[in-house]
Structures are given as structure tokens and as C-alpha cells.
């Protein structure tokens, strides 16, 4: 891997090389995302898979998310760079996706060939691991990479690309379910997809695009906040998150894990506390700070549900 130059670009903080690569893959956010596939695996199997599957699954899921997030910045490289040049550096803080350096490739913190090499290493690792778990999982990874590329390329074309984002985020949990149960219930998979899709649109896509809306408008990007307006985007976030919570109760209760009523109710109420207050604040205040708060808090929702599922495993 190439090393950072000894004197970073003006306005860009100096970092160790590994930190910049982790920033490319948004690793702090990606680690939280791992909880989604882990939840899907526990719910679909009805218990803990063999340790060999758990170990391989951990490596595969981490590699998959690391690769896809890096791919996003690689495909968006020119648009991100144009955004930086036209609207200046984003000085806002307290935003999970900017925990290290936001868009390090566009800021010149590493070269495009180095970023592509990083992506290919993790993509190949994820493909091999996914194929070993279930060949269908490997092709879902390929589909996710292709859809992520389409999502990025549609930045200035249509705001409906947000739907692609919801599908991409849902593919990870679906692949995890197929990795531990080759013939899961179609109804369970549909519920799992709807749950993750609604959470992603309301708690991740809308607040993330909201955070960039002013800068996106300068470069002609078409996102939900830019196209439908702040008020409608805020209301849509509330509706999507409420839908995700409504789906979560029956999904947990009727899954092969058969989560006990007190526990799925705890997941529902905990999720409502985590998601709805910041969503309502965003819809009423229409402030960038509220969007960052919603994005950050929503990112912890899968981890909250995973904690509930672990308790279910311990007490049953």
C-alpha cells in the first residue's frame, strides 16, 4: 500500500496511512453495520451457528462492508472532488461518517490506484468467504457492488436512487440469513428486507444526504432532501423509521429464534427511544445538527437489537 505524503494537503489533517484507508471504508460506521447481518443470522437460524461459521462470517461481513464503502468513495471520487472544490471543506463535526477524514480520496490523502487496490483486496476476501458459506451469498455481494456503483452514478440523475441504497444495505442481512439457513422462509426474508430497507432510508440515507444537501445543490446532485425539500424529507424519515419499528416486533417474535415477548418489546421500545426523538427533531427543526444526530443514533439501532438477541440466547 502507498504511504501518505510527508506533508499533507493544506486543510487536511495529517494521519497515519492505515487511518486514511479506514476512513475510505468508513470503518467506525461499518463496524456498527456488522450488527445487522449478525441479527439476521441469529433470527434466521434460531440460535448460534457453529463457531467455524461464526468466525468465517465475521471476516466475510467485515470484508464486505469495508469493500462496499470503499467502492462508494471510489465511484464518487470525481463528484466528491468537485464538491470540495466548489463548496469548500466540510467543517461540521459530531458526524459518524467523518470520524477520521471524510472522503479522503477526494481530499488527496491517498491515490486512486491505492484506493482501488484496497477495495479489491477486501472484495476478493469477502467473495471467497461468502462463497464458502453459500455460493448465493457471493453473488449477492457482486449484486451489491454493482448496485452501489449504479447508486453513485445516478447522483445527478434521480433522487429515487435512494431506493437502490435501501436494497444494497438489505443485501448484507439477507446474505447472512442464507449463510446459516440455506432454505429460509420467504416470508421471513421479506420481513427482514422490509425492516432493514425502511431503517436505512429513514435513519441513514435521508440524514446523510441532508448533511450534504447544501453542498450537493451546488454540484447538481439529486437527493431526497434536495429534490422533495427538507420538510417532506423529514416527514419521510419519521414514516420510514416508524415502519421499521412496526415490522421489527412481529419479525423478532415470529422468527425461528422466537424472541420472548418482553425482549422483543424491549427492542421495540428501545428502538423507538433511539430513533423517533431525533427523527421528530429533524422534521420540526430542519437543522443540519438534527440530521447528524439522527444518523448517529440510527447507526446504533442494529447493535441494540443484537444485544436483545444475545440476551434471548442466554436466558432461553
Amino acid at each position: 500500500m502507498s504511504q501518505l505524503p510527508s506533508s499533507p494537503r493544506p486543510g487536511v489533517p495529517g494521519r497515519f496511512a492505515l487511518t486514511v484507508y479506514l476512513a475510505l471504508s468508513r470503518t467506525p460506521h461499518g463496524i456498527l453495520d456488522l450488527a445487522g447481518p449478525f441479527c439476521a443470522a441469529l433470527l434466521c437460524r434460531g440460535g448460534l451457528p457453529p463457531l467455524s461459521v461464526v468466525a468465517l462470517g465475521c471476516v466475510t461481513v467485515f470484508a464486505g462492508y469495508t469493500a462496499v464503502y470503499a467502492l462508494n468513495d471510489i465511484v464518487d471520487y470525481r463528484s466528491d472532488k468537485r464538491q470540495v472544490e466548489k463548496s469548500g471543506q466540510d467543517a461540521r463535526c459530531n458526524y459518524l461518517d467523518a470520524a477520521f477524514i471524510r472522503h479522503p480520496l477526494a481530499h488527496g490523502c491517498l491515490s486512486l490506484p491505492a484506493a482501488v487496490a484496497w477495495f479489491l483486496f477486501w472484495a476478493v476476501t469477502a467473495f471467497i468467504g461468502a462463497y464458502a458459506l453459500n455460493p448465493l451469498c457471493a453473488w449477492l455481494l457482486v449484486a451489491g457492488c454493482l448496485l452501489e456503483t449504479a447508486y453513485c452514478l445516478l447522483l445527478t440523475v434521480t433522487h429515487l436512487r435512494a431506493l437502490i441504497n435501501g436494497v444494497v444495505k438489505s443485501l448484507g442481512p439477507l446474505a447472512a440469513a442464507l449463510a446459516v439457513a440455506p432454505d429460509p422462509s420467504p416470508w421471513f426474508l421479506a420481513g427482514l428486507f422490509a425492516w432493514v430497507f425502511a431503517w436505512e432510508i429513514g435513519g441513514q440515507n435521508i440524514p446523510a444526504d441532508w448533511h450534504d444537501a447544501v453542498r450537493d445543490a451546488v454540484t447538481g446532485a439529486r437527493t431526497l432532501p434536495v429534490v422533495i425539500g427538507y420538510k417532506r424529507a423529514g416527514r419521510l424519515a419519521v414514516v420510514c423509521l416508524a415502519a421499521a419499528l412496526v415490522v421489527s416486533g412481529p419479525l423478532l417474535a415470529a422468527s425461528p429464534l422466537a424472541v420472548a415477548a418482553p425482549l422483543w418489546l424491549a427492542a421495540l421500545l428501545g428502538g423507538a427511544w433511539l430513533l423517533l426523538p431525533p427523527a421528530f427533531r429533524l422534521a420540526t427543526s430542519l437543522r443540519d445538527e438534527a440530521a447528524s444526530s439522527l444518523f448517529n443514533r440510527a447507526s446504533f439501532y442494529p447493535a441494540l437489537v443484537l444485544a436483545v438477541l444475545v440476551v434471548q440466547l442466554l436466558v432461553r
Side-chain angles (χ1 to χ4, degrees):
M1 293 181 185
S2 63
Q3 297 295 314
L4 284 173
S6 56
S7 54
R9 281 184 53 181
V12 179
R15 306 284 184 181
F16 290 111
L18 179 59
T19 305
V20 177
Y21 285 101
L22 296 180
L24 178 71
S25 292
R26 305 174 202 177
T27 301
H29 185 194
I31 289 174
L32 288 173
D33 278 344
L34 302 186
F38 295 162
C39 286
L42 292 176
L43 287 170
C44 189
R45 184 178 175 84
L48 195 66
L51 290 180
S52 59
V53 174
V54 172
L56 180 58
C58 288
V59 173
T60 302
V61 173
F62 176 82
Y65 279 102
T66 300
V68 171
Y69 276 126
L71 177 63
N72 180 282
D73 263 27
I74 291 169
V75 180
D76 272 347
Y77 165 60
R78 288 183 175 81
S79 61
D80 289 339
K81 188 174 182 180
R82 188 164 56 248
Q83 185 186 73
V84 171
E85 292 172 346
K86 286 190 175 183
S87 56
Q89 196 167 335
D90 188 354
R92 285 169 289 184
C93 58
N94 299 321
Y95 183 50
L96 184 62
D97 264 7
F100 294 135
I101 303 170
R102 193 145 188 257
H103 303 316
L105 188 58
H107 280 98
C109 295
L110 75 165
S111 68
L112 184 59
V116 171
W118 173 265
F119 159 73
L120 289 175
F121 171 79
W122 290 110
V124 171
T125 301
F127 185 88
I128 293 172
Y131 196 90
L133 290 166
N134 182 341
L136 181 56
C137 296
W139 298 116
L140 286 178
L141 171 67
V142 173
C145 290
L146 293 175
L147 288 171
E148 184 69 16
T149 301
Y151 169 76
C152 296
L153 295 177
L154 291 172
L155 177 63
T156 59
V157 178
T158 175
H159 61 293
L160 295 179
R161 73 193 192 105
L163 302 177
I164 299 177
N165 188 223
V167 173
V168 171
K169 188 57 73 73
S170 301
L171 290 180
L174 289 177
L178 293 170
V180 299
D183 190 25
S185 163
W187 289 107
F188 172 80
L189 293 181
L192 180 64
F193 177 88
W195 179 44
V196 178
F197 182 93
W199 162 76
E200 168 65 21
I201 298 298
Q204 303 281 269
N205 183 270
I206 290 176
D209 283 344
W210 192 304
H211 190 274
D212 286 335
V214 173
R215 294 155 61 85
D216 282 340
V218 172
T219 56
R222 298 182 64 80
T223 64
L224 285 171
V226 170
V227 176
I228 70 175
Y230 288 124
K231 285 186 178 180
R232 295 168 86 182
R235 292 170 186 163
L236 180 59
V238 172
V239 170
C240 287
L241 292 174
L245 291 169
V246 169
V247 171
S248 69
L251 182 69
L252 268 62
S255 73
L257 187 59
V259 180
L263 289 176
W264 70 252
L265 185 59
L268 177 61
L269 295 177
W273 168 80
L274 199 62
L275 301 175
L276 295 183
F280 280 116
R281 279 196 296 271
L282 178 62
T284 54
S285 72
L286 307 181
R287 295 176 63 87
D288 289 350
E289 295 84 354
S292 296
S293 175
L294 174 57
F295 182 90
N296 293 346
R297 288 181 59 142
S299 297
F300 285 91
Y301 175 60
L304 181 148
V305 177
L306 179 60
V308 170
L309 300 186
V310 171
V311 173
Q312 169 70 24
L313 291 176
L314 295 174
V315 301
R316 68 174 183 171

